[in-house]
């Protein structure tokens, strides 16, 4: 198994890290963090995940079944066959609106700021150092690595970073309203000016906003860039049959900028939406590596001596989101009735056909850094209370709401289970199923439903996560009434740089959500990943997006 090569910080840097939060690398109150490159001969570390040390799931552990098998040398000419149920919305980092995009994007694009897959602890990517400066931390500066190139030979420099970020923000799906300007102050230096404190900015730069696209390719392709994507990551885009298969080839001139050097000649991803067919792809040798598997498939795969199966802790929650500007659901008593009507444990067991799900009452699972035990059983299963709340709201004979659901399990299954339990208390809903990207567009852009069964990819950075999920300027909150209490707390979170202090604010946010029922969390579940014995380098992905760049095949 070949580990990723990561150069450790110098002794001087280690001393700085000991006294500060290296994930935020703050300057002014804190000095900028400098990561020194000790060259390829330096020690190797095995990088073992989402969301977004930002978070370490200390209460959960990754487990894999099976023996090591033949661990022969990696074959540089090998082609890896991957099977998954995850379909991307777009191969332009900032044009897609679904979390599954990340699985594909991280093959092609090097991030400005990288993250260790298993912990989401931030580390150098294209940017070798970064930090806030100024009396109010309203300036953010990055120094870039030298010598990086895009797949088309264009240099990765400050001008390219500026163009990429401005393109991203112009599309409107990624929104960081506090960014006033982005300047290339020298070929290897980028300065971002902010209108107000934004402590979660490093997290944004680890995500879509930090996935740098080639300005040359962008100018040439224009609106068709998603079909001709060019980045600076370890693999180049080769071809695609939309919603069916996607092929990527090794970028021979890749210089590590976060993700490791490519160890495969080619990666082909086959989309298989049927859970049984996805399992069969592995057992029939049609696939070498599969993810997006249901927990119920794990026992079948674990009985196969030729496979390794892992259950990886991850961030992310299955939930029902609400367009609470709409009639009926604009009444908090109706939204609270929706909460008390649900037996979350029963829903998780039935949806997953497994006992691995954990009832959710917030966005962070047990064991994560921002988990809040005070949210547990915030809305205990109480159908009579749900009926009473509907009567109090003026609906003694019940209500009817419009629903949408992703057309793949578990979200389609969740919709059926939620509908059954809601109807028992008088909340009638028909969930219309659509593909994930289409459903998100219908729900957000067209306000075609009041409730939506989907998943939220919880971010490891609490400021980023709550700005993106509950902030009034969030893409996903266009049809929701701004909550003044939440706005004040999110602003405070954005101006807080210590994670222990952030947790205190997260707890306050959770209490507001419990009172206002802004969304309906359902359950947490681990990722199930399986692969053949000649596949090596698999690492748990806390963000829920397995990082295929680490894989090799013998």
């Amino acid at each position: 198994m070949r580990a990723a090569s990561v150069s450790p910080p110098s002794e001087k840097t280690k001393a700085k890290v000991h006294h500060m939060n290296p994930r935020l690398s703050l300057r002014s109150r804190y000095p900028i963090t400098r990561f020194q490159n000790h060259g390829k001969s330096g020690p190797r570390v095995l990088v073992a995940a989402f969301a977004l040390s930002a978070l370490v799931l200390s209460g959960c552990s990754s487990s894999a079944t099976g023996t090591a098998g033949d661990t022969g040398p990696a074959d540089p000419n090998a082609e890896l066959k991957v099977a998954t149920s995850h379909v991307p919305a777009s191969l332009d980092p900032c044009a897609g609106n679904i979390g599954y995009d990340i699985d594909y994007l991280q093959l092609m694009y090097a991030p400005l700021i990288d993250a260790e897959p298993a912990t989401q602890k931030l580390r150098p990517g294209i940017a070798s150092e970064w930090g806030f400066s100024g009396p109010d931390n309203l300036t953010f500066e990055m120094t870039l690595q030298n010598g990086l190139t895009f797949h088309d030979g264009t240099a990765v420099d400050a001008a390219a970073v500026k163009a990429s970020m401005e393109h991203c923000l112009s599309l409107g799906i990624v929104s960081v309203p506090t960014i006033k300007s982005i300047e290339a102050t020298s070929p290897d230096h980028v300065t971002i000016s902010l209108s107000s404190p934004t402590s979660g900015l490093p997290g944004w730069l680890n995500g879509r906003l930090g996935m740098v696209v080639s300005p040359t390719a962008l100018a040439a392709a224009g609106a068709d860039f998603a079909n001709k994507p060019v980045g600076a990551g370890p693999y180049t885009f080769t071809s695609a049959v939309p919603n069916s298969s996607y092929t990527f080839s090794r970028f021979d001139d890749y210089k590590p900028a976060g993700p490791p050097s490519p160890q495969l000649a080619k990666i082909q991803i086959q989309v298989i939406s049927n859970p049984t067919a996805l399992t069969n792809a592995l057992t029939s040798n049609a696939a070498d590596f599969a993810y997006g598997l249901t927990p119920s498939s794990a026992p079948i795969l674990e009985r196969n001596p030729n496979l390794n199966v892992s259950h990886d802790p991850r961030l992310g929650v299955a939930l029902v989101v609400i367009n609470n500007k709409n009639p009926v659901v604009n009444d908090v008593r109706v939204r609270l009735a929706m909460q008390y009507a649900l037996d979350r444990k029963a829903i998780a067991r039935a949806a997953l056909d497994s006992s691995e799900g954990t009832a959710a009452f917030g966005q962070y699972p047990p064991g994560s850094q921002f988990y809040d035990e005070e949210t547990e059983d915030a809305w205990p299963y109480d159908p009579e209370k749900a009926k009473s709340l509907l009567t109090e709201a003026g609906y003694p004979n019940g209500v009817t709401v419009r629903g949408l659901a992703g057309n793949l399990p578990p979200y389609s299954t969740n919709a059926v289970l939620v509908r059954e339990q809601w109807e028992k208390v008088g909340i009638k809903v028909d969930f219309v199923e659509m593909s994930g990207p289409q459903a998100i567009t219908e729900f957000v852009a067209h306000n075609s439903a009041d409730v939506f069964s989907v998943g939220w990819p919880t971010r490891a950075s609490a400021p980023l996560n709550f700005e993106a999920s509950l902030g009034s300027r969030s893409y996903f909150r266009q049809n929701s009434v701004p909550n003044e209490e939440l706005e004040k707390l999110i602003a405070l979170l954005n101006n807080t740089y210590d994670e222990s202090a952030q947790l205190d604010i997260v707890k306050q946010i959770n209490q507001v959500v419990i009172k206002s029922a802004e969304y309906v969390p359902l359950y947490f579940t681990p990722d199930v990943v399986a692969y053949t014995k000649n596949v090596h380098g698999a690492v748990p992905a806390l963000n829920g997006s397995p990082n295929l760049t680490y894989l090799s095949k013998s």
Side-chain angles (χ1 to χ4, degrees), residues 113-400:
I113 299 177
D114 193 34
E116 293 180 359
T119 65
Q120 290 298 288
K121 178 181 177 181
L122 300 183
R123 63 185 184 185
I126 292 173
S128 57
E129 56 186 50
W130 60 88
F132 293 92
S133 62
D136 297 312
N137 290 316
L138 298 183
T139 299
F140 186 83
E141 301 174 70
M142 292 182 288
T143 299
L144 311 181
Q145 287 194 53
N146 292 313
L148 303 180
T149 61
F150 292 102
H151 304 151
D152 60 6
T154 303
V156 179
D157 58 15
V161 169
K162 170 182 167 67
S164 180
M165 291 181 66
E166 290 178 342
H167 161 71
C168 183
L169 295 172
S170 73
L171 297 180
I173 294 177
V174 174
S175 176
V176 189
T178 56
I179 293 180
K180 289 170 55 180
S181 66
I182 304 164
E183 300 299 334
T185 49
S186 74
D188 66 350
H189 197 86
V190 177
T191 300
I192 301 173
S193 296
L194 303 167
S195 59
S196 60
T198 312
S199 64
L201 184 57
W204 287 105
L205 298 174
N206 169 244
R208 295 176 186 266
L209 182 59
M211 292 182 172
V212 184
V213 306
S214 165
T216 304
L218 185 62
D224 199 36
F225 180 78
N227 295 317
K228 302 174 182 178
V230 177
Y235 290 89
T236 66
F237 172 75
T238 301
S239 64
V241 178
N243 305 315
S244 179
S245 65
Y246 301 79
T247 304
F248 306 88
S249 300
R250 176 171 51 227
F251 177 37
D252 289 324
D253 293 330
Y254 175 70
K255 178 180 176 182
S261 296
Q263 301 175 67
L264 297 157
K266 187 175 291 185
I267 295 176
Q268 182 178 58
I269 303 177
Q270 189 76 26
V271 177
I272 302 176
S273 58
N274 181 279
T276 301
L278 183 58
T279 300
N280 290 342
L282 270 174
T283 56
S284 66
N285 295 318
D288 306 304
F289 185 97
Y291 67 97
L293 296 159
T294 61
S296 61
S297 68
I300 299 171
L301 296 170
E302 286 166 350
R303 288 195 290 270
N304 189 318
N306 299 314
L307 297 175
N308 285 316
V309 183
S310 66
H311 303 247
D312 299 330
R314 70 178 177 101
L315 297 174
V317 58
L319 77 175
V320 176
V321 291
I322 305 171
N323 277 341
N324 69 21
K325 277 185 180 177
N326 295 344
V328 180
V329 292
N330 63 356
D331 191 317
V332 67
R333 293 166 295 189
V334 173
R335 300 198 301 272
L336 285 169
M338 290 175 167
Q339 305 281 13
Y340 287 106
L342 297 179
D343 182 343
R344 288 167 168 81
K345 292 180 180 179
I347 289 173
R349 283 195 301 270
L352 304 174
D353 191 22
S354 165
S355 60
E356 290 202 50
T358 303
F361 298 90
Q363 294 191 34
Y364 286 95
S368 64
Q369 185 151 342
F370 292 109
Y371 169 65
D372 176 9
E373 62 182 8
E374 294 174 16
T375 62
E376 282 305 303
D377 219 20
W379 307 284
Y381 178 49
D382 191 338
E384 293 306 313
K385 184 167 185 174
K387 293 177 184 178
S388 176
L389 283 163
L390 289 177
T391 299
E392 184 183 328
Y395 303 106
N397 299 317
V399 297
T400 299

Side-chain angles (χ1 to χ4, degrees), residues 80-117:
L80 185 74
K81 296 175 293 183
V82 178
T84 182
S85 58
H86 296 182
V87 181
S90 176
L91 297 183
D92 180 335
C94 295
N97 58 7
I98 191 167
Y100 296 158
D101 297 345
I102 304 300
D103 311 350
Y104 299 77
L105 299 176
Q106 57 195 1
L107 288 169
M108 299 179 291
Y109 301 101
L112 282 168
I113 299 177
D114 193 34
E116 293 180 359

